Amino acid sequence: MEDVVKTGINQYIVSTWLSGDGRGFDDDTDMQQSGILDSFSTLSLIGFLESTFKVQLEPADINAETFKSVNTVTKLVLGKLGG
Amino acid sequence: MTSTLEPGGEDRPPLRAERPPRAERIDRLVTDWASRQPGHIAVQGTDEALTYAELDALANRFARMFLDNGLQRGDRVGVHLPRSGRAVAAMLGASRAGGVYVPLDPGSPPARMRLIAEDCGLRQVVIAPALLSSWLAAGVHAPVEHFFLSAAGTAPASPPAVDPGFRVHPWSEVKEASAAPVPPVGDSPDELAYLLYTSGSTGVPKGVMISHRNALAFVHWAAEQIDLHARDRVASVAPFHFDLSVFDLWSTLSRGATVVVVDETTVVSGRRMLDRIHAQEISVWYSVPSALILMLDDGGLEQRGAPGLRVVFFAGEVFPMKHLRRALAALPQARFFNLFGPTETNVCLAFELEGPPPPDANTIPIGTASCGDVVSIVDEQGRPVPEGEVGELFVDGPTVMLGYWEGGRRTPARHPYPTGDLVSRRPDGEILYHGRRDHMVKVHGHRIELGEVESALTGHPSISEALAFAIDQQLIAVAVPTDAEISVLDIKRHCASRLPRYMIPSEVRLVARLPRTSSGKADRVRVRTALVENDGVVLSPVVRSADQPGPSGQPGPSRKEP
């Protein structure tokens, strides 16, 4: 399950925000610091997570720590799915 | 009428010849020099050179032809031929006959020529035989009544059965016309001298009306700045319909110097341009930065140098700092000037570089007011802004155009003229450029100046050029990398270190090259259209060594890291 979520998020980021160019991007890349996520792209990512993985994210779930990298977002989604 | 002297092979004029009185009209610029130094080369073309005496005589012949065929004071004369001594003589001749010359782009399609001809009512056109064929093949001739061929060539052979409504005068007729001066046109400097057609915002070309006073305020100022003298050999790189050419031609001829044509097939190659600089001993150069970058990237300028070049003027677009530093290092002996101003005001600001800019500088000023102009920086209510704040540049003075010729009507220029450029003034008085007011966009509520995004992108060591666009609330960048291995993530990281989040392009397209306008600038309109239409030819992707061969025109496959 973890792999499916991780791969899905990674592919979404690469195709939507890196013009399909995944070079240099991995699951630990800091998406805040590297300019991938801003308020607008974060909202799009939330929309993607909610519709793809059928999870409901609360305002408390969304912060710089949980939306730092593909790994942290994956952890957040898995937590929601498990709970 | 051909001279084929090598550079410097003729009698060299004295370095400090006494200069003729300052001309107040373009038609007066060459006459005095023609009697002082008749054998000195005025225009060194690609396959023909004209001396001052020959240029003067040919201008008179053209003037005679125009008048004999009905030219009235103020009538417009089109000049549609490759850059050459004959084209210069045609413009000068139109001026001497009391007409207004209209340089037409040899690279533009006949359909655009029709719009211009109709807009300003061109009844007489000097044209190259091949270009006339393309006009006639496209069925474009009205309202032109007289075509004057600029060379022996294929005039439509047999007279058509019905009156076509126009006449074609062969080159032999021009060549054999009287070279005696035509009756003087007087000395009013405020008459219209020429029209330069630029793209209007609606895509229909509009003519910028420049008077003799407008043109010569800049022409004499520029010659003065660099102490232009008769031994100078000045490159003509810009097309004649582009205002950079006003310096190349008229400043040069006002000082008895030599115009050296760097033709259309040469300006596409950095190596060929530099070859021409060396072979023709060019001493003064004026172009858009792109031409200089081409000589750096593809001409070996850094290795070969150009020791004879004493002045480099650049204008028309921002010179990315890293390339400017390379150019300064390659040409340590040359004076460098950043000239600034829209076609409507010619050059209204100028900045001379005193050595390389400080290492931390990421821009150079556009300078202080030039040519007798007065500039101000105002906010949206028209009030002057405090020092350091960004406002719109307003210009008044002798270089501000008479107005627009558009839709057959003349509209006088506003005074002071609002340039649409966003600038600020530094404490030392130098003005900094921030971008175009119409490149100020709003994306998700944030005001973004696209020029700032572009300058951040070209600040990356591996990006040579970049354009930014706002399309459907998305900020999109198109960049030309110098290193095919650079990734979109690298670029985003770089932007994140220099720009606020909302100014980081959400999409970055890495392309092999940008399309160019006829004046050599990156063609923003074509790139924007290509983005909207997803045109993979205009936006041909960079080929990376590790790319799998993919369908042509498609971006390379993405390779996700495991």
Side-chain angles (χ1 to χ4, degrees):
Chain A
M1 188 63 199
E2 183 177 345
D3 280 355
V4 176
V5 173
K6 199 176 276 188
T7 308
I9 296 171
N10 188 308
Q11 283 177 348
Y12 169 80
I13 299 281
V14 169
S15 66
T16 314
W17 304 110
L18 289 173
S19 310
D21 177 5
R23 291 173 302 159
F25 182 75
D26 62 34
D27 297 338
D28 281 321
T29 301
D30 187 328
M31 298 191 292
Q32 308 284 340
Q33 188 229 331
S34 59
I36 293 172
L37 288 185
D38 60 12
S39 53
F40 180 74
S41 47
T42 303
L43 281 178
S44 317
L45 177 57
I46 292 166
F48 166 80
L49 297 175
E50 293 189 336
S51 64
T52 309
F53 303 115
K54 312 290 179 228
V55 292
Q56 191 66 44
L57 297 180
E58 308 300 331
D61 298 325
I62 298 151
N63 57 56
E65 282 309 302
T66 52
F67 277 71
K68 187 171 181 183
S69 66
V70 172
N71 278 333
T72 62
V73 177
T74 304
K75 202 172 140 199
L76 173 69
V77 171
L78 290 175
K80 287 282 161 185
L81 288 171
Chain B
M1 56 193 300
T2 306
S3 311
T4 50
L5 288 166
E6 292 301 306
E10 73 221 78
D11 289 342
R12 299 196 72 172
L15 196 56
R16 291 285 173 271
E18 194 197 329
R19 288 202 296 267
R22 191 179 156 114
E24 302 295 334
R25 286 179 58 104
I26 286 173
D27 41 278
R28 298 271 183 86
L29 286 174
V30 166
T31 322
D32 284 325
W33 288 110
S35 54
R36 283 163 197 242
Q37 46 174 39
H40 189 49
I41 301 293
V43 183
Q44 173 68 56
T46 312
D47 44 27
E48 177 184 70
L50 295 186
T51 65
Y52 270 86
E54 288 166 341
L55 175 65
D56 188 58
L58 185 56
N60 284 343
R61 294 182 212 277
F62 272 119
R64 178 76 57 187
M65 290 298 295
F66 302 145
L67 290 169
D68 285 353
N69 288 286
L71 181 128
Q72 302 288 313
R73 190 78 178 232
D75 277 356
R76 279 72 57 206
V77 177
V79 177
H80 199 205
L81 51 152
R83 282 180 291 125
S84 58
R86 293 181 190 186
V88 179
M91 294 190 277
L92 204 51
S95 219
R96 289 183 178 180
V100 174
Y101 68 83
V102 186
L104 301 171
D105 177 9
S108 278
R112 184 175 164 89
M113 294 305 114
R114 182 208 299 266
L115 292 176
I116 294 175
E118 286 172 353
D119 189 58
C120 67
L122 284 182
R123 292 212 303 273
Q124 303 195 346
V125 174
V126 180
I127 192 164
L131 290 168
L132 177 60
S133 305
S134 74
W135 281 50
L136 299 182
V140 180
H141 61 81
V144 182
E145 294 165 9
H146 297 276
F147 287 104
F148 303 95
L149 291 180
S150 65
T154 51
S158 53
V162 283
D163 178 7
F166 62 89
R167 269 188 67 195
V168 177
H169 302 265
W171 167 241
S172 58
E173 200 181 325
V174 178
K175 204 171 60 173
E176 284 150 24
S178 165
V182 296
V185 288
D187 47 21
S188 153
D190 289 313
E191 280 186 335
L192 184 53
Y194 54 87
L195 290 177
L196 296 181
Y197 272 86
T198 66
S199 290
S201 48
T202 55
V204 179
K206 62 180 176 184
V208 173
M209 301 195 292
I210 302 290
S211 71
H212 292 272
R213 186 194 302 278
N214 294 155
L216 293 179
F218 163 69
V219 162
H220 292 309
W221 171 87
E224 198 71 36
Q225 291 306 300
I226 60 168
D227 193 20
L228 190 62
H229 54 71
R231 284 192 199 167
D232 271 317
R233 299 177 60 83
V234 181
S236 159
V237 185
F240 290 168
H241 65 280
F242 188 31
D243 69 344
L244 271 65
S245 67
V246 172
F247 168 81
D248 308 336
L249 301 182
W250 307 130
S251 293
T252 303
L253 296 174
S254 78
R255 295 294 180 106
T258 300
V259 177
V260 179
V261 173
V262 180
D263 75 355
E264 288 81 355
T265 60
T266 304
V267 297
V268 296
S269 151
R271 183 182 53 76
R272 274 186 265 166
M273 275 191 284
L274 192 52
D275 287 348
R276 185 93 173 142
I277 288 176
H278 284 203
Q280 285 294 327
E281 298 177 3
I282 288 169
S283 61
V284 178
W285 178 273
Y286 185 17
S287 75
V288 291
S290 297
L292 290 154
I293 296 170
L294 203 53
M295 284 194 280
L296 289 164
D297 284 346
D298 154 54
L301 182 61
E302 283 152 309
Q303 296 75 43
R304 296 165 68 192
L309 212 50
R310 67 177 194 89
V311 173
V312 174
F313 285 126
F314 57 90
E317 56 187 358
V318 173
F319 205 146
M321 206 56 174
K322 63 171 173 287
H323 297 305
L324 176 57
R325 288 184 198 282
R326 293 167 68 199
L328 288 163
L331 301 167
Q333 79 290 346
R335 296 172 69 187
F336 277 73
F337 294 79
N338 185 12
L339 303 185
F340 182 85
T343 304
E344 288 83 345
T345 68
N346 205 324
V347 167
C348 55
L349 291 165
F351 177 77
E352 179 171 7
L353 284 99
E354 308 286 349
D360 58 335
N362 51 25
T363 182
I364 57 163
I366 52 176
T368 52
S370 62
C371 306
D373 287 340
V374 178
V375 300
S376 51
I377 306 172
V378 303
D379 65 16
E380 280 170 10
Q381 282 73 46
R383 293 172 306 216
V385 301
E387 183 185 287
E389 297 214 351
V390 175
E392 184 177 357
L393 177 70
F394 277 59
V395 182
D396 215 344
T399 68
V400 176
M401 65 168 181
L402 295 179
Y404 290 114
W405 192 306
E406 190 179 16
R409 287 202 318 274
R410 307 174 196 212
T411 316
R414 275 175 63 188
H415 287 270
Y417 176 77
T419 61
D421 292 305
L422 298 172
V423 300
S424 64
R425 200 189 299 270
R426 285 199 318 208
D428 63 359
E430 299 288 351
I431 292 175
L432 296 172
Y433 177 73
H434 297 278
R436 290 283 306 161
R437 204 175 70 161
D438 50 10
H439 291 169
M440 179 76 88
V441 297
K442 259 193 168 180
V443 175
H444 301 306
H446 293 290
R447 280 167 69 96
I448 297 175
E449 168 47 54
L450 295 173
E452 256 184 276
V453 179
E454 290 164 2
S455 112
L457 287 162
T458 55
H460 189 289
S462 300
I463 295 180
S464 108
E465 289 184 286
L467 293 176
F469 302 88
I471 298 174
D472 293 341
Q473 289 296 299
Q474 289 242 70
L475 192 57
I476 302 178
V478 177
V480 182
T482 50
D483 170 4
E485 300 311 315
I486 181 181
S487 71
V488 172
L489 184 65
D490 293 332
I491 295 171
K492 289 216 168 190
R493 279 209 174 102
H494 168 81
C495 289
S497 71
R498 305 192 155 213
L499 295 171
R501 285 283 157 81
Y502 62 85
M503 286 179 71
I504 300 171
S506 56
E507 185 178 343
V508 178
R509 298 280 285 262
L510 297 172
V511 299
R513 70 195 72 81
L514 294 175
R516 301 266 158 216
T517 65
S518 65
S519 54
K521 299 194 229 179
D523 192 337
R524 180 175 281 281
V525 176
R526 275 181 68 196
V527 175
R528 190 177 209 289
T529 309
L531 283 171
V532 172
E533 295 173 354
N534 200 16
D535 178 339
V537 178
V538 172
L539 300 171
S540 65
V542 176
V543 179
R544 293 192 290 263
S545 50
D547 277 353
Q548 304 298 317
S552 77
Q554 297 299 307
S558 66
R559 281 162 301 145
K560 192 175 90 60
E561 305 290 334

